[in-house]
Amino acid sequence: MADLSAFPITKRWPAKDPSVIQLYSFPTPNGVKASIALEEMGLAYEPHLVTLSDADVKSDAFLSLNPNNKIPAIIDPNGPDGPIGIFESGAILLYLAEKSGKFLGATASDKAKITQWLMFQMGGLGPMLGQMGFFYKFAGKDIEDPRPRERYRDEAIRLLAVLEKELDGKDWIVGDYSIADMAIAPWLNALEFYGTKDVVGYNDLKNVPAYVERFFARPAVAKAKRIPDPS
Ligand SMILES: N[C@@H](CCC(=O)N[C@@H](CS)C(=O)NCC(=O)O)C(=O)O
């Protein structure tokens, strides 16, 4: 039986089965990337609900696994050299894809392209849409100066146009479904939550909405999008 006692987080969120991957998350676009990957790859795991309140993500227990106080994070008791903790959703996707041998492309070129689009999400799509959400739905909406709102709106529109073009004639962003899709599609879905679909002209697009629908119709995705159960 794996011993996870070296990870202080397991005191606050105890592992029922320490022999399987421990997931610490909340079902946001970044959080569900990890649960979607675990479900799609058929890896055994145990989800723990870590809310976005300071009492959870900024607790000493959570910071011991992710000093950057953000979900998702995992512990793999069966890492390459023994138990390993990992944070940053993109790093988790790459790690799980390498571990399972799935969704990272069949060739070195596919792998490079999948990594490229994963980075596009991590460095562009996610941060820009997240900031747009702040300025349209959350505290930023009360700021009178329209420039931050317009800046993130315009960047979101530009990024959506990039994806609309890339997805022309394709079901998935690279080849036959990959961790790049697991990163990108949950973020596109966040436009609904932010109430910004009209603002960015989402319904005037063709390929992007069809892609998001295709993604959420996958049984593993439909299941994982509420893991860990927030209720
Ligand atoms: N780059 C990080 C971002 C993760 C992130 O922003 N997580 C948010 C929820 S989507 C969070 O935990 N926020 C809590 C906080 O910042 O206090 C990743 O992709 O894992």
Side-chain angles (χ1 to χ4, degrees), residues 28 30 33 52 57 69-72 88-89 122:
T28 64
N30 286 321
K33 289 181 213 168
L52 305 186
V57 276
N69 67 266
K70 294 193 187 293
I71 60 91
E88 279 296 322
S89 58
M122 293 298 294

Side-chain angles (χ1 to χ4, degrees), residues 9-78:
I9 192 168
T10 61
K11 305 255 179 325
R12 166 91 184 265
W13 287 276
K16 286 194 192 76
D17 182 356
S19 70
V20 301
I21 293 172
Q22 304 294 308
L23 169 68
Y24 306 90
S25 191
F26 192 81
T28 64
N30 286 321
V32 297
K33 289 181 213 168
S35 40
I36 288 169
L38 288 159
E39 287 291 334
E40 291 280 19
M41 294 169 191
L43 294 166
Y45 71 102
E46 188 177 330
H48 302 275
L49 185 72
V50 176
T51 74
L52 305 186
S53 77
D54 287 359
D56 277 0
V57 276
K58 290 191 179 149
S59 64
D60 288 345
F62 188 74
L63 292 175
S64 69
L65 184 59
N66 183 357
N68 191 37
N69 67 266
K70 294 193 187 293
I71 60 91
I74 63 168
I75 299 173
D76 182 2
N78 304 301

